[in-house]
């Protein structure tokens, strides 16, 4: 029992605070375009030179003209002074917003002493289209259409060999163009556009935006996404041309080359509305209709799974510029309208985020060349080549090479390739538009590097570059330590995340590209420590709402493009993302709106699990997928399937009780709490051996999962935890838990104070694990602990140790009762030979920093706590020693284990223990 001394060091200054408001956001985006919510969410951050700064009130003003804010004539909304410390999730409550309109806003706050701060700079947001009527007379148009009888929805798993004549047709990849005139001075212009599966738009020959594979993929019979762009700077006086090219994406996957599935929602199609507002107040709209012209593009084949072919001989120069002669083009067809509702894509777009030049180029006996870019990525290539008209270069990407040094696609989907046919016009540059793959190597056929001898008649590659494409959501965390292996592991996992961060979170960027749901929450903290995922996770939740079946089941993948069999469609550990993701959004971002929206889905899913159980015990699914046992990885080998399925069922019900309370549903909260209690009792009666204090088989997953989700009775927790630690130690400190279990193992050991054991288990390369993968040459996290060549070598799952890097080694956490990091815990773990750690996380309130180092007998901990938050700092190794901050002795509020606890407010601190 430790004595709590109620003394904190908030360091409230008597000097007038100097505060700056920054990072103003609407719907978690800076100056977003296309906000289609009637009551969007606003937020801001505060910088202050005053320690302990807390906001006590705020005032938000919104206007339709920026100068109205300067003159205090905010005609849209003036919140008045609101006595509240809330600087996140502030709901707009002004006049009804108009579609396709730009609004300007600013905010000021008062500190804890009721002193007003200066107004922020002015920010803005542009609304989207709220209803179908807002699209005016815009039509879905295409080059061709199909009859409903040719649709294949849901898709068919595999090659589709039993589909007869269906899905044999190769769709035209169409171009669309519309010429129009600007006769007056333009004040603003916004374009709203969607192309299914994906599109690229241009104005006057220049690409609009930087998106790749826009819009994000969804189940198109439920939801179709559109994008909005401010195109004011792309317009010119006189003649203008909007151009659009549309590819297949997941909207149309035919039976050519490699395909994970075959599906047809329809042929490529697009819809567009361009709203132009002139300085005199007049408005002109350009909408997609039959007056648009269309023709085939030079992209002769594109498939999200199979690759892309481009024939430069078919290019029509200047097709998206004024003056182009389009008499040979036909008028666009009004095509079948998608069944899904058009909604704005609020998430960050996928973009080209990084490029790599070849580290090595190897000539093969067969006359081919292999380019090694040194990093396994998700992405495409850029080809620069010289040659004769009609010559074709074939590019075969792969994440591994085989014994003959050839591209190895056995585990990643074959055949997949890019091909480019030259027009014979000097140096030609090309990159794919509608497909991507996971690769490190590119095998080149039909061309030679320009530095090669021989191959005189073949095209000469002057440059081949790999481009990493991913969701462009900003990075918001950093970690580095003195242990070089841990730094390499951190980089390895980051590439596993980046390679699968698309418009969904994929499991791999080649073979599947599907959103398997379990990783979204099991890797949730690891992903969120590194990337700003608020809008992405909200989309994932909407995808699950679209995918839920009438009986309540949530399938293992969402969007559910294809129906898998057995556990690959219905596994509780996967479907439970439907309950856990809304909870994560609340804990990390304070979002109760998504809980309210997803609540019917959560209730139906929990009811479904109950209906599938036998006296609250579930026994179906995939279990602890890819655990490390005696056989090839796959279904759980070491842990009973019923244990993981029932444990996650219990966790779902427990969370649903909490979320019911948050929404004021007290009756439901009580009922779910009672249900959780029943499950707990039955679970322990079924799986727990009271005499040995061992769950089921005693595997790492069997022991860790009940500890973390709260299934272990308090009187048995110490013994169960000791058995877990002892079993790992006596078996050589090897990890065996799989996709599901390792997440809970990391959390159980950290929370139980066994971080030294986590260090020992992962600071090695002699047994399967992270170091083992690196030793085998992996540059991205692999699907199996053993880095097997027969499975994916760029995979998101199994990266759970990253959560410990941030929350354990750096010690950046939030308290159990905290929401959105308003109450921070800094509790670094000093383990092994690590002499320093530097970690940071960009929360909604600002940057949290924890940096520590050991030098001789001196321990130093530097901490930064953002304004408008509080923190408890756990200083390790401080029991019985003096702790100073800024050279002054610190008064401790408590001692716990070997930590001294200090309460602090916002500010920067340097704690020293000698």
């Amino acid at each position: 029992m430790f004595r709590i001394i109620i003394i904190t060091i908030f360091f409230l200054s008597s000097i007038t605070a100097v505060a700056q408001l920054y990072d103003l956001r609407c719907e978690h985006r800076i100056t977003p375009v296309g906000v289609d919510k009637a009551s969007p969410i606003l937020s801001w951050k505060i910088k202050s030179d005053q320690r302990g700064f807390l906001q006590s009130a705020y005032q938000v003003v919104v206007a339709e003209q920026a100068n109205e804010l300067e003159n205090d004539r905010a005609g849209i909304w003036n919140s008045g002074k609101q006595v509240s410390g809330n600087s996140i999730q502030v709901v707009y409550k002004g006049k009804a917003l108009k579609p396709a309109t730009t609004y300007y806003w600013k905010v000021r706050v008062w500190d804890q002493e009721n002193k007003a701060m200066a107004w922020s700079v002015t920010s803005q947001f542009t609304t989207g289209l709220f209803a179908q009527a807002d699209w005016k007379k815009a039509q879905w148009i295409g080059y061709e259409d199909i009859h409903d009888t040719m649709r294949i929805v849901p898709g068919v798993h595999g090659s589709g060999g039993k589909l007869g004549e269906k899905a044999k047709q190769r769709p035209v990849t169409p171009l669309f163009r519309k010429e129009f005139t600007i006769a007056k001075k333009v004040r603003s212009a916004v374009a709203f556009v969607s192309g299914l599966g994906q599109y690229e738009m241009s104005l006057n020959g220049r690409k609009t935006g930087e998106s790749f594979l826009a819009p994000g993929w969804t189940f198109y019979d439920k939801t179709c996404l559109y994008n909005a762009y401010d195109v004011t700077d792309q317009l010119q006086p006189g003649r203008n041309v909007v151009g659009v090219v549309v590819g297949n994406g997941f909207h149309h996957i035919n039976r050519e080359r490699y395909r994970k599935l075959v599906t047809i929602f329809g042929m490529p199609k697009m819809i567009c509305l361009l709203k132009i507002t002139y300085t005199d107040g007049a408005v002109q709209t350009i909408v997609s209709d039959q007056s648009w012209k269309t023709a085939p593009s030079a992209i002769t084949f594109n498939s999200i799974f199979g690759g892309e072919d481009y024939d430069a001989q078919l290019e029509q120069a200047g097709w998206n510029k004024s003056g182009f002669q389009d008499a040979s083009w036909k008028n666009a067809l009004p095509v079948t309208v998608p069944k899904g509702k058009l909604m704005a894509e609020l998430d960050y777009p996928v973009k080209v985020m990084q490029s790599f030049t070849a580290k090595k180029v190897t000539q093969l006996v067969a006359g081919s060349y292999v380019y090694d870019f040194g990093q396994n990525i998700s992405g495409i290539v850029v080809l620069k080549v010289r040659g004769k008209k009609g010559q074709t270069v074939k590019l075969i990407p792969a994440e591994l090479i085989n014994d003959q040094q050839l591209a190895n696609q056995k585990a990643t989907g074959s055949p997949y390739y890019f091909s480019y046919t030259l027009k014979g016009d000097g140096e030609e540059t090309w990159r794919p538009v509608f497909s991507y793959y996971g690769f490190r190597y590119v095998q080149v056929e039909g061309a030679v590097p320009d530095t090669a001898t021989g191959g005189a008649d073949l095209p000469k590659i002057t440059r081949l570059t790999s481009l990493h494409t991913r969701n462009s959501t900003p990075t918001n965390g950093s970690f580095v330590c003195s242990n070089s292996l841990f730094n390499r592991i951190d980089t390895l996992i980051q590439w596993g995340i980046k390679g699968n961060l698309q418009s969904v979170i994929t499991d791999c960027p080649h073979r599947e590209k599907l959103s398997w749901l379990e990783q979204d929450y099991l890797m949730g903290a690891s992903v969120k420590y590194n990337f700003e995922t608020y809008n992405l996770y909200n989309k994932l939740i909407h995808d699950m709402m679209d995918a839920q079946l009438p009986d309540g089941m949530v399938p293992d993948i969402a969007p559910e493009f294809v129906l898998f069999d057995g556990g690959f469609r219905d596994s509780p550990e996967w479907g439970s993302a439907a309950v856990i993701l809304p909870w994560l959004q609340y804990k990390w971002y304070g979002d109760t709106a998504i809980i309210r929206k997803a609540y019917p889905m959560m209730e139906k899913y929990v009811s479904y699990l109950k209906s599938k159980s036998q006296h609250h015990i579930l026994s179906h699914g995939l279990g602890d997928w890819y655990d490390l046992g005696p056989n090839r990885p796959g279904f759980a080998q070491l842990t009973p399937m019923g244990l993981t399925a029932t444990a996650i069922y219990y966790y779902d019900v427990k969370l649903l009780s909490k979320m019911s309370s948050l929404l004021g549903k007290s009756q439901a909260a009580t009922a779910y709490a009672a249900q959780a209690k029943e499950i707990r009792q039955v679970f322990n009666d079924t799986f727990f051996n009271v005499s040995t204090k061992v769950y089921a088989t005693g595997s790492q997953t069997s022991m860790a999962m009940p500890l973390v989700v709260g299934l272990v009775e308090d009187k048995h927790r110490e013994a169960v935890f000791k058995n877990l630690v002892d079993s790992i130690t006596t078996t050589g400190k090897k990890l065996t838990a799989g996709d599901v279990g390792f997440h809970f193992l990391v959390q159980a050991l950290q929370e139980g104070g066994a971080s030294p054991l986590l260090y020992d288990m992962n600071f090695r390369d002699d047994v399967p694990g992270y170091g083992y993968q690196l030793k085998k040459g992996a540059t991205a996290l692999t699907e199996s602990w053993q880095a097997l060549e027969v499975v994916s070598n760029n995979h998101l799952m199994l990266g759970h140790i990253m959560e410990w890097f941030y929350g354990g080694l750096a010690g950046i956490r939030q308290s159990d009762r905290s929401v959105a990091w308003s109450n921070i815990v800094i509790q670094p773990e000093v383990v092994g030979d690590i002499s320093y750690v530097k970690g940071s996380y960009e929360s909604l309130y600002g940057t949290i920093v924890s940096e520590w180092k050991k030098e001789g007998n001196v321990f130093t901990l530097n901490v930064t706590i953002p304004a408008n938050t509080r923190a408890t700092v756990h200083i390790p190794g401080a029991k019985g020693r003096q702790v100073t901050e800024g050279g002054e002795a610190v008064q401790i509020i408590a001692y716990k284990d070997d930590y001294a606890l200090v309460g602090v407010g916002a500010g920067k601190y340097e704690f020293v223990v000698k």
Side-chain angles (χ1 to χ4, degrees):
M1 193 78 178
F2 55 82
R3 180 167 174 250
I4 300 179
I5 308 169
I6 310 299
I7 300 175
T8 59
I9 53 170
F10 289 122
F11 299 98
L12 298 180
S13 172
S14 60
I15 302 172
T16 301
V18 176
Q20 176 188 357
L21 303 180
Y22 72 105
D23 203 11
L24 274 66
R25 295 186 179 232
C26 174
E27 289 299 319
H28 292 254
R29 297 286 301 271
I30 297 173
T31 62
V33 180
V35 176
D36 65 349
K37 292 189 175 181
S39 299
I41 299 296
L42 307 176
S43 67
W44 53 88
K45 295 176 182 175
I46 306 168
K47 285 181 182 176
S48 175
D49 59 359
Q50 177 188 22
R51 278 186 169 182
F53 185 99
L54 291 172
Q55 174 187 304
S56 64
Y58 70 82
Q59 182 182 8
V60 175
V61 289
V62 182
E64 219 173 314
Q65 301 294 331
N67 61 4
E68 292 177 356
L69 296 180
E70 302 304 320
N71 299 325
D72 294 326
R73 292 185 288 111
I76 303 301
W77 185 38
N78 185 336
S79 71
K81 183 178 180 181
Q82 298 293 310
V83 179
S84 169
N86 194 17
S87 59
I88 66 170
Q89 299 292 340
V90 175
V91 181
Y92 169 83
K93 295 180 180 178
K95 293 181 180 179
L97 299 175
K98 295 181 289 187
T101 303
T102 298
Y103 292 93
Y104 301 87
W105 70 286
K106 63 181 181 178
V107 60
R108 64 172 172 170
V109 305
W110 286 257
D111 70 4
Q112 66 270 23
E113 296 176 357
N114 202 31
K115 294 175 182 175
M117 304 295 107
W119 284 98
S120 69
V121 297
T122 297
S123 188
Q124 67 186 66
F125 63 89
T126 301
T127 53
L129 305 177
F130 299 140
Q132 184 60 44
D134 297 332
W135 284 89
K136 307 300 181 184
K137 295 182 179 180
Q139 296 177 290
W140 283 97
I141 57 174
Y143 180 87
E144 57 192 334
D145 204 359
I146 60 168
H147 193 272
D148 274 355
T149 57
M150 298 302 288
R151 277 172 40 100
I152 306 173
V153 179
V156 176
H157 184 208
S159 65
K162 297 180 180 180
L163 288 171
E165 293 304 308
K166 283 188 175 183
K168 283 189 173 180
Q169 180 181 352
R170 177 184 289 190
V172 167
T173 306
L175 303 173
F176 299 92
R177 72 185 307 271
K178 174 67 176 179
E179 196 156 349
F180 59 96
T181 301
I182 298 289
K184 296 185 288 186
K185 189 173 182 181
V186 173
R187 186 175 75 195
S188 65
V190 184
F192 303 91
V193 59
S194 181
L196 302 181
Q198 271 100 29
Y199 71 91
E200 279 198 358
M201 176 182 175
S202 62
L203 265 169
N204 299 318
R206 183 158 59 94
K207 182 180 173 180
T208 300
E210 299 176 278
S211 301
F212 175 68
L213 298 183
W217 50 85
T218 55
F219 191 77
Y220 305 107
D221 280 0
K222 294 288 185 70
T223 300
C224 300
L225 299 177
Y226 72 86
N227 304 106
Y229 305 96
D230 184 335
V231 294
T232 309
D233 293 341
Q234 285 189 260
L235 296 181
Q236 60 192 24
R239 304 298 293 172
N240 288 259
V241 174
V242 56
V244 180
V245 56
V246 184
N248 296 317
F250 276 95
H251 189 254
H252 191 123
I253 302 168
N254 75 344
R255 291 159 58 188
E256 291 187 73
R257 300 191 196 170
Y258 170 71
R259 58 269 187 196
K260 175 70 177 178
L261 59 109
V262 177
T263 188
I264 297 177
F265 287 87
M267 288 295 189
K269 61 189 68 176
M270 63 149 289
I271 189 170
C272 179
L273 182 148
L274 173 60
K275 179 184 177 182
I276 304 167
T277 304
Y278 296 101
T279 53
D280 64 3
V283 173
Q284 179 184 3
T285 57
I286 309 297
V287 297
S288 52
D289 57 23
Q290 294 176 72
S291 68
W292 288 48
K293 292 296 192 74
T294 183
S297 71
I299 301 172
T300 57
F301 172 80
N302 73 92
S303 168
I304 195 71
F305 283 117
E308 187 164 323
D309 299 341
Y310 188 91
D311 187 345
Q313 299 172 107
L314 303 177
E315 286 181 350
Q316 301 191 56
W319 71 272
N320 54 0
K321 296 179 181 178
S322 64
F324 176 78
Q325 299 302 310
D326 61 10
S328 63
W329 289 34
K330 69 177 185 177
N331 288 88
L333 297 175
V335 294
T336 305
V337 175
K339 297 182 180 181
K341 180 182 177 182
L342 265 173
M343 296 176 61
E345 184 169 29
L346 295 177
D347 192 17
Y348 291 90
V350 174
K351 292 182 182 180
V352 173
M353 300 300 291
Q354 202 169 344
S355 64
F356 295 87
T357 56
K359 305 294 183 186
K360 181 181 179 182
V361 180
T362 304
Q363 183 177 7
L364 306 178
V365 175
S368 301
Y369 288 80
V370 170
Y371 285 66
D372 178 2
F373 294 98
Q375 178 60 55
N376 192 353
I377 64 165
S378 58
I380 54 175
V381 295
V382 174
L383 171 70
K384 289 181 181 285
V385 62
R386 294 178 180 272
K388 299 175 183 176
K389 181 178 181 179
Q391 292 180 313
T392 297
V393 182
K394 186 176 181 181
L395 306 169
I396 307 170
E399 57 182 20
L400 299 174
I401 51 176
N402 61 23
D403 293 340
Q404 289 76 44
Q405 305 302 301
L406 295 168
N408 181 358
Q409 292 183 343
K410 284 185 177 181
T412 56
S414 175
Y416 182 102
Y417 58 87
F418 306 119
S419 76
Y420 179 76
T421 301
L422 285 77
K423 58 188 172 185
D425 185 17
E427 184 177 67
E428 303 176 37
T429 301
W430 173 74
R431 76 181 197 185
V433 178
F434 294 124
S435 191
Y436 79 105
Y437 203 65
F439 69 98
R440 169 179 170 172
Y441 305 92
V442 174
Q443 180 178 324
V444 176
E445 296 182 353
V448 299
D450 62 351
T451 56
T453 57
D457 294 330
L458 292 175
K460 302 296 188 297
I461 296 176
T462 56
R463 190 175 185 86
L464 186 63
T465 307
S466 72
L467 300 181
H468 168 48
T469 59
R470 68 159 173 86
N471 189 304
S472 58
T473 183
T475 57
N476 61 356
S478 65
F479 170 84
V480 68
C481 71
S482 62
N483 186 305
S484 61
L485 177 59
F486 282 3
N487 291 336
R488 293 176 65 208
I489 291 171
D490 179 68
T491 300
L492 184 82
I493 298 169
Q494 277 204 40
W495 275 109
I497 295 173
K498 290 192 292 189
N500 290 285
L501 214 59
Q502 305 296 327
S503 65
V504 296
I505 297 182
T506 62
D507 67 333
C508 58
H510 31 62
R511 180 186 69 225
E512 301 215 15
K513 298 185 174 83
L514 299 175
S515 179
W516 292 89
L517 298 177
E518 93 293 358
Q519 59 194 2
D520 297 345
Y521 71 89
L522 294 169
M523 281 291 291
S526 297
V527 172
K528 289 176 182 297
Y529 271 126
N530 282 272
F531 296 97
E532 183 184 306
T533 62
Y534 173 82
N535 284 305
L536 173 59
Y537 268 62
N538 272 6
K539 179 188 179 290
L540 297 176
I541 292 167
H542 282 92
D543 288 339
M544 289 187 286
M545 292 165 63
D546 282 352
Q548 187 172 39
L549 274 61
D551 66 0
M553 189 192 88
V554 175
D556 292 0
I557 61 170
E560 193 183 24
F561 293 118
V562 62
L563 311 185
F564 291 120
D565 297 324
F568 292 103
R569 191 183 192 205
D570 181 15
S571 186
E573 303 89 344
W574 274 245
S576 290
V579 178
I580 301 172
L581 261 58
W583 177 252
L584 283 178
Q585 290 294 83
Y586 169 69
K587 286 294 289 181
W588 283 72
Y589 306 115
D591 188 358
T592 55
I594 195 64
I595 291 178
R596 187 171 292 105
K597 193 165 189 177
Y599 192 81
M601 172 182 67
M602 294 189 283
E603 281 209 304
K604 284 177 65 178
Y605 184 63
V606 164
S607 178
Y608 172 78
L609 291 182
K610 183 179 180 180
S611 74
K612 296 289 286 186
S613 71
Q614 295 292 325
H615 305 293
H616 286 312
I617 296 296
L618 292 166
S619 57
H620 68 285
L622 299 175
D624 191 20
W625 184 249
Y626 265 58
D627 62 351
L628 193 55
N631 304 317
R632 175 175 164 167
F635 289 97
Q637 302 179 52
L638 307 178
T639 305
M641 193 176 296
L643 184 140
T644 54
T646 307
I648 209 68
Y649 167 40
Y650 166 80
Y651 189 52
D652 291 345
V653 177
K654 184 177 169 183
L655 290 184
L656 192 49
S657 177
K658 291 182 178 181
M659 288 186 275
S660 297
S661 292
L662 281 172
L663 299 183
K665 300 177 182 288
S666 56
Q667 249 185 328
T670 301
Y672 287 125
Q675 184 179 342
K677 188 176 180 180
E678 292 173 12
I679 300 169
R680 188 185 198 216
Q681 183 63 54
V682 175
F683 181 91
N684 285 319
D685 290 345
T686 305
F687 296 109
F688 186 55
N689 187 320
V690 178
S691 60
T692 63
K693 305 297 186 292
V694 171
Y695 278 91
T697 58
S699 67
Q700 293 174 4
T701 300
S702 295
M703 302 294 280
M705 200 168 178
L707 282 166
V708 171
V709 301
L711 282 160
V712 183
E713 295 181 29
D714 290 344
K715 61 184 178 182
H716 298 311
R717 285 189 66 85
E718 186 176 341
V720 171
F721 182 75
K722 183 178 184 302
N723 281 338
L724 170 62
V725 171
D726 289 347
S727 68
I728 295 172
T729 303
T730 56
T731 54
K733 301 181 181 179
K734 302 173 184 177
L735 62 85
T736 58
D739 177 23
V740 175
F742 193 61
H743 163 85
F744 294 101
L745 179 64
V746 170
Q747 195 171 339
L749 293 179
Q750 179 183 311
E751 291 176 352
S755 279
L757 180 56
L758 271 174
Y759 174 90
D760 292 341
M761 293 174 72
N762 292 282
F763 184 47
R764 60 192 305 182
D765 62 11
D766 59 320
V767 295
Y770 302 114
Y772 190 86
Q773 293 181 18
L774 288 165
K775 192 175 182 180
K776 288 189 70 173
T779 59
L781 185 65
T782 70
E783 184 175 10
S784 64
W785 287 123
Q786 307 98 309
L788 299 172
E789 293 184 5
V790 293
V791 296
S792 169
N793 276 253
N794 186 339
H795 224 75
L796 179 63
M797 69 183 199
L798 300 180
H800 313 109
I801 199 66
M802 181 172 276
E803 184 175 353
W804 179 65
F805 288 166
Y806 282 86
L809 295 183
I812 300 173
R813 316 173 196 172
Q814 57 176 331
S815 72
D816 291 340
R817 289 190 294 254
S818 173
V819 175
W821 295 83
S822 59
N823 200 314
I824 300 159
V825 173
I826 303 294
Q827 186 175 345
E829 306 278 0
V830 182
V831 295
D833 68 346
I834 298 177
S835 59
Y836 73 83
V837 170
K838 296 180 180 180
S840 70
Y841 168 65
E842 185 67 26
S843 75
L844 293 186
Y845 292 98
T847 309
I848 304 167
V849 176
S850 173
E851 299 180 353
W852 61 263
K853 62 181 178 181
K854 292 189 303 181
E855 292 179 320
N857 67 340
V858 178
F859 177 86
T860 305
L861 173 62
N862 287 282
V863 173
T864 300
I865 305 300
N868 213 25
T869 67
R870 295 180 173 89
T872 302
V873 181
H874 296 235
I875 304 169
K879 193 167 184 178
R881 301 180 184 180
Q882 186 183 57
V883 180
T884 60
E885 196 287 315
E888 300 292 329
V890 171
Q891 297 190 51
I892 309 303
I893 62 171
Y895 288 101
K896 186 176 182 181
D897 301 325
D898 195 35
Y899 289 93
L901 278 60
V902 179
V904 301
K908 294 183 178 182
Y909 304 91
E910 183 177 78
F911 299 99
V912 178
V913 181
K914 293 185 179 180

